[in-house]
Every structure is written in C-alpha cells, then in structure tokens.
Amino acid sequence: MRSATVFAAAFTLALTVTGVAEAAPAGHGHAQRVCSVAPAGFAACNAWINTDTAAALAATPSGLGPADLLSAYNLGSLANSAGAGRTIAIVDAYDAPTAFADVNVYRAQYGIPALASCSPSSVNASTTPCFAKADQSGGTTYPRKDGGWAQEISLDLDMASAICPKCNILLVEGTSSSFANLGTAVNTAVRLGAEVVSNSYGGSEFSGEASSEGQYFNHPGVAITVSSGDSGYGVEFPAASRYVTAVGGTSLKRASNTRGWSETAWSGAGSGCSAYITKPSWQTDSGCGKRTVADVSAVADPATGVAVYDSTAYQGRSGWMVFGGTSVAAPVVGSVYALGGVSGVTGANTVYSHTASLHDVSGGSNGSCGGSYLCTAVTGYDGPTGLGTPNGAAAF
C-alpha cells in the first residue's frame, strides 16, 4: 500500500468523481479521474480528463492527434504500411453503446479510413480494417452501460486507430470491473485471435494475484499491455504480472531538438516493486527482488494529453475531449506491438533485448522512494518510464 507521504508527494488538488474523492497529478493543472477508485478485487480505468480544456472542446478536437503521436514515436512510415490483418483487442468493463460510431468520427476527423463492421468470430480473418464487439464470453449479450468506462473505451479505440490504422479492432467488454470478469475478457480476446490485448485499468495488488496472472494473462506469443497506474509511486495489478508489458507514463512536449519532441516522467505514473509476483528472467534491475514496474512508457500526462471523441454524456461532457493517464500509454504501446509484428513475445521480453530502439527518458519523478530509480527517471532503466518510449517498432 502507498504511504500517506508518498501519496501526497504525487498529488495535490482533491476532486470528487462519481462520489469518490480523487486527486489531480501535481503540477499539471486540473485533471479529473474518469472512473471511481476500485474496491478490493476490482479495477478502475486509468483515464484522466483534462478539465481545463473540456468545456471548450465539445465540437472541435484539441490535444495530440495521430500525426503528433506517429511523429513523436517514429512510426509514420510503419503506420502507412504495416498492421493489415492483425487484430488489437481492447479489454474494458461495461458497455459503450456508441463505440463503433464514435471511433469512426475520430478516424474521419484525421483522415483515417473508417472501420467496417465485422463479427467477433471473423475479425481476425479480415484484411480490411474492421471493428467487432463482444461480451466477455465472446457473444453479444453486452453488459450495462457505464459513462466513465465508455469514455475509457473511446480513448483506447482512438489510440489504436491513431497508431495502427490498418489494424482490426476487437472490443471485449467485461460484465463488471472485477479482476475475474476482466481476466475472462482477456482470455476471450486471445481465443478470438487477437495478437495484441490492451488493458487500461488496474487495482490494488492482492495475495492471490500470482494465481490470477497464470489464469488470465499467460498467453505466450500474444502481446498484452497494461497501464502501470495513475496514483504515482506504487504498483497495481495486472501491471505487476510477469506475462504482460507494464506501460508507464510520460509528459510529451514539442522541442527544438533532432527528434522534435522531449519527454519526462509523468508524476502520476505507477512504478515500484511488486509484493507478490516473481521477477521475470528478462528483467535484471537490482532494486526489486520481485517484478519491477514499468517496462516501457508513452504519453500519459493529461496536460500534454491526446484528443479523443466520445458521444456518451457523462459528467456533463461529450464530444471532443483531451485525455491522459497511463490509459493512453497502454493502447499506444499495444498498437506499436501490432505494427512490429508481435514475434516471439512473452511478457516484455523483446523490449529488454532491443533497448537501442527506444527513446530513453530521464528527468521527472512520480513520488518519494529515497531518490532511487524506482520513482525517478534516470538514464537507462527506471520505474516510471521503464526502458523508454517507442522509437519505431523494432523493440516490439
């Protein structure tokens, strides 16, 4: 559990969201959590809305768009040529009834060809980009609608579209946000043929998670990305699983350097040592005897956030919004895996073998841990940003 000191170091302004007090990441203006904090055994989505811009953006997009993200992560040529016939699964809880229409609004805005509609059983066979939606068992008995999770779903679908426009997208909706239901949805996504499964949620670690990770996330050959969390220094599950790529977060800004962009650790990104999960063989840092979070990272700061379209009226907002949180980073990295071909992936093993194909991130912190790399971005590996951010897809 995070101490009060650590929690206070990463956060300031308290806000009330769906009846639950939560806080905005320090130093990044006003941001509001989209989903309620989760009780034990459940997960919360890791999306944060930028409330400084929300009131003015219903009709027009702001924030980073596809061209920005492809430029920042050196993916432009790959996005134009790779990904056809590959399926990215988005796993979230509850139903987003307008998800298909909303993602095509996003795509139309940025000149990305629309997704066709296809069935869950045929999505993996399509060579023309298509969208399918399934309940956690693979059927069409969708769960009840939830406005917060609907915004999370739109965020995830839009990021998959931005990074891998030629990919098929399969949305699998858990009946609830329990780890059991979300884990069942992951298994269903793999059964339906997804090569990549993106998970933008997390909750408190628990003593039985080693059993749960084996039941739901042990899928060699499938790239499974998970948000590292948005509460600063501290570890969430399933990001702690050794069978996934734990994705931390950065603040991404334009810069007058060769790359054209700069990144520092986002203060909200989760990181640290798992209490329960064995350290995977491909991870060799010395500060944790067990699994260390995170592995890699991408943009997550809501102050440098991404444009998202969602028509669900929730918290008085709909239309174009700007989102952050490691909920952004997980589908971005998952989609880079799809561009890279997902060859030989077991957990995050490939990125540890290809560190030269990542942008190293140094600078910034997500809390207090005695000044170590576990909460401070340094040259080389660190907790908040892992090995760095994508520089092309060779590491994936």
Side-chain angles (χ1 to χ4, degrees):
M1 296 296 291
R2 305 174 183 88
S3 70
T5 300
V6 168
F7 199 85
F11 288 85
T12 52
L13 177 65
L15 299 170
T16 300
V17 184
T18 58
V20 179
E22 185 57 289
H28 299 298
H30 296 131
Q32 185 168 301
R33 193 179 188 108
V34 169
C35 294
S36 301
V37 176
F42 288 76
C45 72
N46 281 321
W48 286 73
I49 187 170
N50 184 322
T51 56
D52 285 341
T53 59
L57 297 179
T60 57
S62 185
L64 300 176
D68 298 313
L69 297 171
L70 295 175
S71 169
Y73 297 127
N74 190 26
L75 298 167
S77 59
L78 270 175
N80 290 326
S81 61
R86 295 175 188 152
T87 299
I88 301 169
I90 301 298
V91 169
D92 281 307
Y94 304 109
D95 184 34
T98 62
F100 180 43
D102 288 352
V103 70
N104 275 335
V105 170
Y106 178 89
R107 293 170 75 100
Q109 174 66 37
Y110 293 106
I112 303 171
L115 292 164
S117 177
C118 54
S119 69
S121 61
S122 66
V123 61
N124 197 48
S126 179
T127 56
T128 300
C130 72
F131 171 88
K133 185 169 82 169
D135 62 30
Q136 69 181 43
S137 299
T140 56
T141 306
Y142 306 124
R144 68 172 177 85
K145 171 184 165 182
D146 180 278
W149 280 91
Q151 290 186 349
E152 173 65 65
I153 287 169
S154 287
L155 165 58
D156 296 341
L157 297 178
D158 289 357
M159 291 306 97
S161 294
I163 302 299
C164 192
K166 294 182 180 294
C167 283
N168 305 317
I169 302 179
L170 169 65
L171 171 61
V172 186
E173 298 178 331
T175 302
S176 77
S177 61
S178 72
F179 287 130
N181 284 332
L182 289 165
T184 297
V186 171
N187 286 343
T188 293
V190 174
R191 175 171 58 82
L192 292 171
E195 291 101 330
V196 175
V197 183
S198 176
N199 306 268
S200 290
Y201 56 81
S204 299
E205 286 202 280
F206 56 99
S207 60
E209 71 188 40
S211 175
S212 291
E213 68 156 357
Q215 184 176 359
Y216 300 124
F217 298 99
N218 186 11
H219 298 288
V222 177
I224 301 176
T225 60
V226 180
S227 300
S228 72
D230 295 344
S231 296
Y233 179 62
V235 175
E236 289 188 348
F237 182 81
S241 172
R242 70 195 125 160
Y243 301 124
V244 311
T245 299
V247 186
T250 68
S251 298
L252 174 67
K253 299 177 181 178
R254 290 192 177 275
S256 56
N257 55 22
T258 302
R259 179 186 173 192
W261 300 86
S262 66
E263 289 178 281
T264 55
W266 176 48
S267 64
S271 71
C273 305
S274 171
Y276 303 106
I277 300 297
T278 301
K279 198 172 196 70
S281 60
W282 33 263
Q283 193 171 60
T284 59
D285 66 294
S286 60
C288 293
K290 297 187 182 295
R291 169 76 156 113
T292 312
V293 173
D295 298 309
V296 290
S297 54
V299 59
D301 184 351
T304 66
V306 297
V308 171
Y309 182 83
D310 181 78
S311 64
T312 305
Y314 179 66
Q315 297 288 327
R317 303 184 183 99
S318 64
W320 288 100
M321 293 165 276
V322 175
F323 280 93
T326 50
S327 276
V328 177
V332 166
V333 170
S335 301
V336 178
Y337 269 114
L339 291 176
V342 197
S343 176
V345 173
T346 301
N349 64 322
T350 64
V351 296
Y352 285 81
S353 301
H354 297 87
T355 56
S357 296
L358 298 166
H359 293 295
D360 189 26
V361 179
S362 59
S365 176
N366 66 351
S368 176
C369 61
S372 84
Y373 73 95
L374 294 173
C375 66
T376 304
V378 298
T379 300
Y381 179 81
D382 58 73
T385 70
L387 295 162
T389 62
N391 182 8
F396 300 88

